[in-house]
Amino acid sequence: MREIVSPARALEGIITLPGDKSISHRYGMLASIAKGRSTIANYSTGADCQSTLACMAALGAKIERQEGSISIEGGPLQEPAALLDAGNSGSTIRMLSGILAAQPFTSRIGGDESLSRRPMARIIGPLTEMGGSIEARDQKFPPLTIHGRPLHGIDYHLPMASAQVKSCILLAGLFAQGDTIVREPVRTRDHTEIALKEFGAEIEIEKRTIRLHGGARLTGRELVAPGDLSSACFFLVAALMVKEASLVIHGVGLNPTRSGLLDFLVSMGAQIKVLEVHQVGGELIGDLRVQSSPVSGGVIEGGVIEGTMTAALIDEIPALAVLGAASRNGLTVRDAGELRIKETDRIATIEAGFRKMGVKIETNPEGFHVPGGQTFHAGEIDSAGDHRIAMAFAVAALAADGPCAIEGAESANVSFPEFFATLRQIAQK
Ligand code: S3P
């Protein structure tokens, strides 16, 4: 499907967003293994989180969808009748594998073409150390055949910054004998740790070391998934790309392991106010108000993303690359090799889209530099089936010199099916 996005003069409105993708996955999985009933308000409408629900239903969880929420009756999982389909979702396959590794049955899990190219050795290694038995295509790619085994806790130094791998080990650790310890090289999103506590697990956190006691009994909860800050990012960037903007985004997740995005945008000169902050289910949530930036007459400064900041902003880099090109001094991204193994090689797909729109970018294996002060030119851009690439280029199109066609726009459904409708609602010509 192609979407035509026309340049916009202004962006105005009050919007709410689907539930956070990361948090929805975790709530969906934990509610399915917890005793009793959970309700999750604002569960993500994105296809990835629906893949998690389909997998959990195939494993025996009873899931009902109501207006604006879902309820899950959890309990012991059952052997699935067929291959579990994780679709496009790396979070589903990696995190669920941790649970499956400890079940008293064998299961198979795979996904679409993009997922079938994503590395799984990073979870097979630690799960095998815990006593798990997993077969993979070429020992490293999906589909995975997971022979459930009794597991034991391990003390694991995570070799890369990955919340999915951390979460996989912790979820396996729930069923393991003894304690499971994960030591992170840099702090990554901690939604799993927060959710585990909410569902009743015993977990201790000291700086970058997480210790989980095995064998906890989880019980159902009433939860709310905050709006997804990574989805909000596209509108925050859009507001900074157009001449006039006044936008309020209600009920967005502001977990400190994710909200570095706001600090970064403010450091570039963005005018963002955070209002009505409160806690739900251990997660911070609040409203964001963004306005065009009088600091620089609508043009904002550039910036550098490197080191621990790269891990914190990893999903936002496609949108920030677009902002970088329109900024005064450009954007440099370093230490971002992980971007090459996301839904697409995002350094390559950003580069391809920029070239189509006549925007300069220099890439290297670990990042890129986008010079500032550039104009996006009207053209046809291919999303390459990657949701964040489709949405980032739709935002670039708002500031282009003519209408742009985004090919494969339906890929936005992976995290944000309402994206193009919301954009049409707030963008003014
Ligand atoms: C996620 C962790 C990140 C992120 C992904 C969601 C999560 O992946 O890019 O979109 O929910 O834990 P990695 O763990 O591979 O860095």
Side-chain angles (χ1 to χ4, degrees):
M1 186 184 93
R2 69 163 31 190
E3 278 276 350
I4 307 292
V5 181
S6 299
R9 177 189 51 81
L11 215 67
E12 221 173 278
I14 302 174
I15 57 174
T16 52
L17 303 176
D20 187 90
K21 177 160 93 70
S22 292
I23 295 174
S24 295
H25 283 302
R26 285 149 173 89
Y27 286 174
M29 288 182 202
L30 289 174
S32 298
I33 56 173
K35 189 166 182 290
R37 193 179 181 84
S38 294
T39 60
I40 308 163
N42 202 37
Y43 187 89
S44 169
T45 50
D48 270 11
C49 295
Q50 300 303 317
S51 294
T52 286
L53 291 186
C55 290
M56 300 323 295
L59 288 161
K62 291 176 193 63
I63 301 173
E64 281 171 30
R65 291 174 167 82
Q66 294 100 17
E67 181 73 36
S69 75
I70 60 165
S71 67
I72 301 182
E73 189 74 42
L77 299 180
Q78 293 155 19
E79 184 164 357
L83 177 116
L84 298 166
D85 185 1
N88 191 244
S89 175
S91 301
T92 306
I93 192 168
R94 293 207 180 106
M95 295 199 289
L96 185 51
S97 293
I99 294 175
L100 295 174
Q103 302 307 310
F105 52 74
T106 292
S107 48
R108 291 187 76 229
I109 182 162
D112 69 8
E113 203 200 319
S114 152
L115 191 70
S116 303
R117 280 185 264 116
R118 296 186 67 187
M120 294 298 141
R122 51 181 60 198
I123 59 160
I124 295 172
L127 290 177
T128 305
E129 263 187 57
M130 295 176 86
S133 169
I134 300 170
E135 292 160 45
R137 186 172 56 81
D138 294 339
Q139 278 97 58
K140 54 186 172 197
F141 296 119
L144 307 177
T145 302
I146 303 177
H147 304 287
R149 296 271 188 272
L151 303 182
H152 53 81
I154 53 169
D155 184 342
Y156 194 70
H157 284 261
L158 210 59
M160 74 286 288
S162 170
Q164 290 176 357
V165 178
K166 169 178 66 176
S167 303
C168 167
I169 299 166
L170 291 174
L171 291 173
L174 264 183
F175 299 91
Q177 202 163 35
D179 288 358
T180 295
I181 300 167
V182 182
R183 300 174 199 270
E184 295 193 275
V186 301
R187 193 94 181 91
T188 64
R189 63 190 72 192
D190 62 356
H191 305 301
T192 301
E193 295 90 311
I194 293 173
L196 279 168
K197 261 189 211 160
E198 282 299 307
F199 278 92
E202 271 184 74
I203 186 164
E204 290 144 31
I205 299 148
E206 217 194 300
K207 292 190 183 142
R208 286 178 279 109
T209 301
I210 305 123
R211 177 190 288 266
L212 177 83
H213 303 287
R217 261 167 230 236
L218 307 188
T219 42
R221 285 279 177 276
E222 283 193 14
L223 295 153
V224 180
D228 196 323
L229 182 59
S230 299
S231 298
C233 175
F234 296 105
F235 296 119
L236 295 174
V237 168
L240 301 170
M241 301 275 298
V242 301
K243 285 212 171 57
E244 284 172 44
S246 176
L247 191 64
V248 175
I249 313 177
H250 265 306
V252 181
L254 298 171
N255 180 309
T257 61
R258 302 276 296 281
S259 63
L261 167 69
L262 301 179
D263 302 324
F264 184 68
L265 290 174
V266 168
S267 79
M268 291 176 93
Q271 297 254 307
I272 300 174
K273 281 212 173 83
V274 182
L275 311 160
E276 308 285 338
V277 179
H278 57 288
Q279 259 204 13
V280 188
E283 292 281 355
L284 283 182
I285 183 165
D287 298 343
L288 299 179
R289 177 187 290 277
V290 59
Q291 274 171 316
S292 346
S293 181
V295 179
S296 48
V299 181
I300 62 161
E301 305 298 325
V304 178
I305 301 175
E306 60 186 346
T308 55
M309 213 155 78
T310 303
L313 298 181
I314 198 77
D315 289 342
E316 287 73 63
I317 288 174
L320 294 174
V322 167
L323 185 61
S327 71
R328 202 196 294 275
N329 305 316
L331 179 76
T332 302
V333 175
R334 301 195 182 104
D335 312 314
E338 284 284 314
L339 274 183
R340 294 212 179 263
I341 48 172
K342 292 293 178 190
E343 286 82 333
T344 57
D345 172 344
R346 285 191 173 148
I347 296 177
T349 45
I350 291 169
E351 182 181 25
F354 275 19
R355 295 219 183 286
K356 279 272 180 129
M357 296 182 90
V359 164
K360 290 194 196 77
I361 177 168
E362 296 144 27
T363 65
N364 60 64
E366 299 273 312
F368 58 85
H369 172 71
V370 192
Q374 303 193 69
T375 303
F376 287 94
H377 298 292
E380 269 182 25
I381 313 108
D382 188 355
S383 74
D386 184 330
H387 57 130
R388 298 204 197 278
I389 295 297
M391 294 187 277
F393 282 106
V395 169
L398 295 176
D401 59 7
C404 296
I406 316 289
E407 298 287 353
E410 70 282 355
S411 58
N413 293 345
V414 160
S415 59
F416 193 178
E418 306 82 354
F419 172 76
F420 284 99
T422 310
L423 193 61
R424 276 192 291 274
Q425 179 194 323
I426 58 176
Q428 296 172 9
K429 287 188 187 145

PDB file of all heavy atoms in Angstrom, residues 13-18 42 225-228 232 247-253 275-276 278 285-289:
ATOM      1  N   GLY A  13      -3.221  19.769  17.561  1.00  0.00           N
ATOM      2  CA  GLY A  13      -4.236  18.839  18.059  1.00  0.00           C
ATOM      3  C   GLY A  13      -3.873  18.218  19.394  1.00  0.00           C
ATOM      4  O   GLY A  13      -2.824  18.503  19.979  1.00  0.00           O
ATOM      5  N   ILE A  14      -4.790  17.384  19.856  1.00  0.00           N
ATOM      6  CA  ILE A  14      -4.608  16.631  21.094  1.00  0.00           C
ATOM      7  C   ILE A  14      -4.795  15.172  20.720  1.00  0.00           C
ATOM      8  O   ILE A  14      -5.838  14.804  20.162  1.00  0.00           O
ATOM      9  CB  ILE A  14      -5.662  17.044  22.151  1.00  0.00           C
ATOM     10  CG1 ILE A  14      -5.541  18.543  22.426  1.00  0.00           C
ATOM     11  CG2 ILE A  14      -5.521  16.228  23.427  1.00  0.00           C
ATOM     12  CD1 ILE A  14      -6.633  19.091  23.337  1.00  0.00           C
ATOM     13  N   ILE A  15      -3.795  14.354  20.981  1.00  0.00           N
ATOM     14  CA  ILE A  15      -3.891  12.956  20.535  1.00  0.00           C
ATOM     15  C   ILE A  15      -3.549  11.988  21.673  1.00  0.00           C
ATOM     16  O   ILE A  15      -2.890  12.362  22.645  1.00  0.00           O
ATOM     17  CB  ILE A  15      -2.973  12.677  19.318  1.00  0.00           C
ATOM     18  CG1 ILE A  15      -1.501  13.008  19.627  1.00  0.00           C
ATOM     19  CG2 ILE A  15      -3.433  13.457  18.108  1.00  0.00           C
ATOM     20  CD1 ILE A  15      -0.532  12.602  18.512  1.00  0.00           C
ATOM     21  N   THR A  16      -4.022  10.745  21.517  1.00  0.00           N
ATOM     22  CA  THR A  16      -3.597   9.660  22.405  1.00  0.00           C
ATOM     23  C   THR A  16      -3.017   8.565  21.510  1.00  0.00           C
ATOM     24  O   THR A  16      -3.349   8.494  20.327  1.00  0.00           O
ATOM     25  CB  THR A  16      -4.767   9.061  23.206  1.00  0.00           C
ATOM     26  OG1 THR A  16      -5.792   8.715  22.291  1.00  0.00           O
ATOM     27  CG2 THR A  16      -5.305  10.016  24.243  1.00  0.00           C
ATOM     28  N   LEU A  17      -2.182   7.742  22.083  1.00  0.00           N
ATOM     29  CA  LEU A  17      -1.466   6.750  21.289  1.00  0.00           C
ATOM     30  C   LEU A  17      -1.760   5.345  21.791  1.00  0.00           C
ATOM     31  O   LEU A  17      -2.087   5.159  22.961  1.00  0.00           O
ATOM     32  CB  LEU A  17       0.042   7.003  21.391  1.00  0.00           C
ATOM     33  CG  LEU A  17       0.522   8.379  20.966  1.00  0.00           C
ATOM     34  CD1 LEU A  17       2.010   8.521  21.220  1.00  0.00           C
ATOM     35  CD2 LEU A  17       0.219   8.606  19.498  1.00  0.00           C
ATOM     36  N   PRO A  18      -1.600   4.340  20.906  1.00  0.00           N
ATOM     37  CA  PRO A  18      -1.750   2.959  21.370  1.00  0.00           C
ATOM     38  C   PRO A  18      -0.730   2.649  22.456  1.00  0.00           C
ATOM     39  O   PRO A  18       0.315   3.308  22.548  1.00  0.00           O
ATOM     40  CB  PRO A  18      -1.482   2.120  20.126  1.00  0.00           C
ATOM     41  CG  PRO A  18      -1.094   3.024  19.032  1.00  0.00           C
ATOM     42  CD  PRO A  18      -1.264   4.435  19.473  1.00  0.00           C
ATOM     43  N   ASN A  42      -5.609  -0.318  27.270  1.00  0.00           N
ATOM     44  CA  ASN A  42      -4.762   0.303  26.240  1.00  0.00           C
ATOM     45  C   ASN A  42      -3.653  -0.617  25.738  1.00  0.00           C
ATOM     46  O   ASN A  42      -2.567  -0.155  25.374  1.00  0.00           O
ATOM     47  CB  ASN A  42      -4.164   1.623  26.763  1.00  0.00           C
ATOM     48  CG  ASN A  42      -3.732   2.551  25.638  1.00  0.00           C
ATOM     49  OD1 ASN A  42      -4.393   2.634  24.599  1.00  0.00           O
ATOM     50  ND2 ASN A  42      -2.610   3.231  25.814  1.00  0.00           N
ATOM     51  N   ALA A 225      -1.399  -0.089  29.887  1.00  0.00           N
ATOM     52  CA  ALA A 225      -0.195   0.164  29.087  1.00  0.00           C
ATOM     53  C   ALA A 225      -0.163   1.652  28.727  1.00  0.00           C
ATOM     54  O   ALA A 225      -1.086   2.149  28.077  1.00  0.00           O
ATOM     55  CB  ALA A 225      -0.203  -0.686  27.833  1.00  0.00           C
ATOM     56  N   PRO A 226       0.880   2.369  29.166  1.00  0.00           N
ATOM     57  CA  PRO A 226       0.969   3.794  28.807  1.00  0.00           C
ATOM     58  C   PRO A 226       1.129   3.954  27.296  1.00  0.00           C
ATOM     59  O   PRO A 226       1.571   3.028  26.630  1.00  0.00           O
ATOM     60  CB  PRO A 226       2.251   4.267  29.514  1.00  0.00           C
ATOM     61  CG  PRO A 226       2.713   3.156  30.376  1.00  0.00           C
ATOM     62  CD  PRO A 226       2.043   1.896  29.916  1.00  0.00           C
ATOM     63  N   GLY A 227       0.790   5.123  26.779  1.00  0.00           N
ATOM     64  CA  GLY A 227       1.021   5.411  25.355  1.00  0.00           C
ATOM     65  C   GLY A 227       2.499   5.225  25.029  1.00  0.00           C
ATOM     66  O   GLY A 227       3.368   5.443  25.872  1.00  0.00           O
ATOM     67  N   ASP A 228       2.764   4.836  23.781  1.00  0.00           N
ATOM     68  CA  ASP A 228       4.122   4.450  23.404  1.00  0.00           C
ATOM     69  C   ASP A 228       4.984   5.680  23.058  1.00  0.00           C
ATOM     70  O   ASP A 228       4.738   6.358  22.059  1.00  0.00           O
ATOM     71  CB  ASP A 228       4.037   3.501  22.199  1.00  0.00           C
ATOM     72  CG  ASP A 228       5.332   2.754  21.969  1.00  0.00           C
ATOM     73  OD1 ASP A 228       6.407   3.349  22.171  1.00  0.00           O
ATOM     74  OD2 ASP A 228       5.267   1.574  21.593  1.00  0.00           O
ATOM     75  N   ALA A 232       5.200   8.250  19.955  1.00  0.00           N
ATOM     76  CA  ALA A 232       5.102   9.703  20.162  1.00  0.00           C
ATOM     77  C   ALA A 232       6.249  10.420  19.465  1.00  0.00           C
ATOM     78  O   ALA A 232       6.090  11.537  18.951  1.00  0.00           O
ATOM     79  CB  ALA A 232       5.123  10.019  21.659  1.00  0.00           C
ATOM     80  N   LEU A 247       0.956  20.784  19.907  1.00  0.00           N
ATOM     81  CA  LEU A 247       0.461  19.416  19.973  1.00  0.00           C
ATOM     82  C   LEU A 247       0.519  18.919  21.407  1.00  0.00           C
ATOM     83  O   LEU A 247       1.520  19.142  22.100  1.00  0.00           O
ATOM     84  CB  LEU A 247       1.376  18.559  19.088  1.00  0.00           C
ATOM     85  CG  LEU A 247       0.949  17.151  18.769  1.00  0.00           C
ATOM     86  CD1 LEU A 247      -0.330  17.155  17.939  1.00  0.00           C
ATOM     87  CD2 LEU A 247       2.060  16.442  17.980  1.00  0.00           C
ATOM     88  N   VAL A 248      -0.546  18.237  21.835  1.00  0.00           N
ATOM     89  CA  VAL A 248      -0.541  17.596  23.157  1.00  0.00           C
ATOM     90  C   VAL A 248      -0.715  16.100  22.935  1.00  0.00           C
ATOM     91  O   VAL A 248      -1.610  15.672  22.204  1.00  0.00           O
ATOM     92  CB  VAL A 248      -1.670  18.136  24.060  1.00  0.00           C
ATOM     93  CG1 VAL A 248      -1.716  17.379  25.386  1.00  0.00           C
ATOM     94  CG2 VAL A 248      -1.481  19.633  24.313  1.00  0.00           C
ATOM     95  N   ILE A 249       0.167  15.320  23.532  1.00  0.00           N
ATOM     96  CA  ILE A 249       0.061  13.862  23.441  1.00  0.00           C
ATOM     97  C   ILE A 249      -0.224  13.351  24.851  1.00  0.00           C
ATOM     98  O   ILE A 249       0.585  13.509  25.762  1.00  0.00           O
ATOM     99  CB  ILE A 249       1.353  13.222  22.876  1.00  0.00           C
ATOM    100  CG1 ILE A 249       1.832  13.989  21.629  1.00  0.00           C
ATOM    101  CG2 ILE A 249       1.102  11.763  22.547  1.00  0.00           C
ATOM    102  CD1 ILE A 249       3.141  13.493  21.045  1.00  0.00           C
ATOM    103  N   HIS A 250      -1.402  12.752  25.009  1.00  0.00           N
ATOM    104  CA  HIS A 250      -1.893  12.343  26.337  1.00  0.00           C
ATOM    105  C   HIS A 250      -1.369  10.977  26.760  1.00  0.00           C
ATOM    106  O   HIS A 250      -1.289  10.065  25.940  1.00  0.00           O
ATOM    107  CB  HIS A 250      -3.424  12.212  26.291  1.00  0.00           C
ATOM    108  CG  HIS A 250      -4.119  13.438  26.737  1.00  0.00           C
ATOM    109  ND1 HIS A 250      -3.866  14.021  27.950  1.00  0.00           N
ATOM    110  CD2 HIS A 250      -5.063  14.199  26.140  1.00  0.00           C
ATOM    111  CE1 HIS A 250      -4.623  15.083  28.075  1.00  0.00           C
ATOM    112  NE2 HIS A 250      -5.354  15.231  26.981  1.00  0.00           N
ATOM    113  N   GLY A 251      -1.063  10.855  28.045  1.00  0.00           N
ATOM    114  CA  GLY A 251      -0.841   9.538  28.651  1.00  0.00           C
ATOM    115  C   GLY A 251       0.295   8.733  28.061  1.00  0.00           C
ATOM    116  O   GLY A 251       0.132   7.557  27.743  1.00  0.00           O
ATOM    117  N   VAL A 252       1.465   9.367  27.933  1.00  0.00           N
ATOM    118  CA  VAL A 252       2.616   8.704  27.308  1.00  0.00           C
ATOM    119  C   VAL A 252       3.526   8.111  28.396  1.00  0.00           C
ATOM    120  O   VAL A 252       3.742   8.733  29.439  1.00  0.00           O
ATOM    121  CB  VAL A 252       3.419   9.728  26.468  1.00  0.00           C
ATOM    122  CG1 VAL A 252       4.594   9.051  25.785  1.00  0.00           C
ATOM    123  CG2 VAL A 252       2.522  10.392  25.438  1.00  0.00           C
ATOM    124  N   GLY A 253       4.075   6.952  28.136  1.00  0.00           N
ATOM    125  CA  GLY A 253       5.024   6.322  29.057  1.00  0.00           C
ATOM    126  C   GLY A 253       6.299   7.144  29.152  1.00  0.00           C
ATOM    127  O   GLY A 253       6.865   7.541  28.132  1.00  0.00           O
ATOM    128  N   LEU A 275       3.657  17.156  31.526  1.00  0.00           N
ATOM    129  CA  LEU A 275       2.607  17.559  32.472  1.00  0.00           C
ATOM    130  C   LEU A 275       1.925  16.336  33.079  1.00  0.00           C
ATOM    131  O   LEU A 275       1.946  15.255  32.487  1.00  0.00           O
ATOM    132  CB  LEU A 275       1.535  18.376  31.726  1.00  0.00           C
ATOM    133  CG  LEU A 275       2.036  19.511  30.830  1.00  0.00           C
ATOM    134  CD1 LEU A 275       0.968  19.877  29.821  1.00  0.00           C
ATOM    135  CD2 LEU A 275       2.434  20.700  31.655  1.00  0.00           C
ATOM    136  N   GLU A 276       1.313  16.541  34.245  1.00  0.00           N
ATOM    137  CA  GLU A 276       0.458  15.508  34.862  1.00  0.00           C
ATOM    138  C   GLU A 276       1.164  14.163  35.031  1.00  0.00           C
ATOM    139  O   GLU A 276       0.584  13.104  34.739  1.00  0.00           O
ATOM    140  CB  GLU A 276      -0.804  15.270  34.009  1.00  0.00           C
ATOM    141  CG  GLU A 276      -1.606  16.499  33.655  1.00  0.00           C
ATOM    142  CD  GLU A 276      -2.412  17.037  34.830  1.00  0.00           C
ATOM    143  OE1 GLU A 276      -2.685  16.267  35.769  1.00  0.00           O
ATOM    144  OE2 GLU A 276      -2.726  18.245  34.808  1.00  0.00           O
ATOM    145  N   HIS A 278       2.350  10.845  36.622  1.00  0.00           N
ATOM    146  CA  HIS A 278       1.954   9.967  37.728  1.00  0.00           C
ATOM    147  C   HIS A 278       2.433   8.544  37.418  1.00  0.00           C
ATOM    148  O   HIS A 278       3.007   8.303  36.359  1.00  0.00           O
ATOM    149  CB  HIS A 278       0.444  10.020  37.964  1.00  0.00           C
ATOM    150  CG  HIS A 278      -0.377   9.667  36.765  1.00  0.00           C
ATOM    151  ND1 HIS A 278      -0.501  10.488  35.668  1.00  0.00           N
ATOM    152  CD2 HIS A 278      -1.099   8.568  36.474  1.00  0.00           C
ATOM    153  CE1 HIS A 278      -1.278   9.914  34.761  1.00  0.00           C
ATOM    154  NE2 HIS A 278      -1.650   8.749  35.231  1.00  0.00           N
ATOM    155  N   ILE A 285       3.927   7.877  33.738  1.00  0.00           N
ATOM    156  CA  ILE A 285       3.069   8.223  32.598  1.00  0.00           C
ATOM    157  C   ILE A 285       2.749   9.723  32.707  1.00  0.00           C
ATOM    158  O   ILE A 285       2.670  10.251  33.816  1.00  0.00           O
ATOM    159  CB  ILE A 285       1.807   7.320  32.641  1.00  0.00           C
ATOM    160  CG1 ILE A 285       0.879   7.527  31.463  1.00  0.00           C
ATOM    161  CG2 ILE A 285       1.042   7.436  33.901  1.00  0.00           C
ATOM    162  CD1 ILE A 285      -0.143   6.389  31.340  1.00  0.00           C
ATOM    163  N   GLY A 286       2.616  10.400  31.601  1.00  0.00           N
ATOM    164  CA  GLY A 286       2.307  11.834  31.651  1.00  0.00           C
ATOM    165  C   GLY A 286       1.899  12.349  30.280  1.00  0.00           C
ATOM    166  O   GLY A 286       1.836  11.589  29.300  1.00  0.00           O
ATOM    167  N   ASP A 287       1.586  13.640  30.220  1.00  0.00           N
ATOM    168  CA  ASP A 287       1.202  14.273  28.951  1.00  0.00           C
ATOM    169  C   ASP A 287       2.396  15.062  28.412  1.00  0.00           C
ATOM    170  O   ASP A 287       3.162  15.647  29.184  1.00  0.00           O
ATOM    171  CB  ASP A 287       0.033  15.249  29.163  1.00  0.00           C
ATOM    172  CG  ASP A 287      -1.215  14.529  29.668  1.00  0.00           C
ATOM    173  OD1 ASP A 287      -1.278  13.294  29.548  1.00  0.00           O
ATOM    174  OD2 ASP A 287      -2.111  15.220  30.195  1.00  0.00           O
ATOM    175  N   LEU A 288       2.521  15.105  27.111  1.00  0.00           N
ATOM    176  CA  LEU A 288       3.596  15.882  26.489  1.00  0.00           C
ATOM    177  C   LEU A 288       2.975  17.015  25.688  1.00  0.00           C
ATOM    178  O   LEU A 288       2.012  16.804  24.940  1.00  0.00           O
ATOM    179  CB  LEU A 288       4.405  15.004  25.525  1.00  0.00           C
ATOM    180  CG  LEU A 288       5.111  13.788  26.127  1.00  0.00           C
ATOM    181  CD1 LEU A 288       5.842  13.013  25.044  1.00  0.00           C
ATOM    182  CD2 LEU A 288       6.101  14.241  27.200  1.00  0.00           C
ATOM    183  N   ARG A 289       3.524  18.220  25.868  1.00  0.00           N
ATOM    184  CA  ARG A 289       3.093  19.349  25.044  1.00  0.00           C
ATOM    185  C   ARG A 289       4.312  19.829  24.262  1.00  0.00           C
ATOM    186  O   ARG A 289       5.342  20.153  24.852  1.00  0.00           O
ATOM    187  CB  ARG A 289       2.563  20.483  25.932  1.00  0.00           C
ATOM    188  CG  ARG A 289       2.164  21.728  25.148  1.00  0.00           C
ATOM    189  CD  ARG A 289       1.829  22.850  26.105  1.00  0.00           C
ATOM    190  NE  ARG A 289       0.586  22.603  26.815  1.00  0.00           N
ATOM    191  CZ  ARG A 289      -0.618  22.873  26.320  1.00  0.00           C
ATOM    192  NH1 ARG A 289      -0.745  23.410  25.132  1.00  0.00           N
ATOM    193  NH2 ARG A 289      -1.699  22.613  27.024  1.00  0.00           N
TER     194      ARG A 289
END
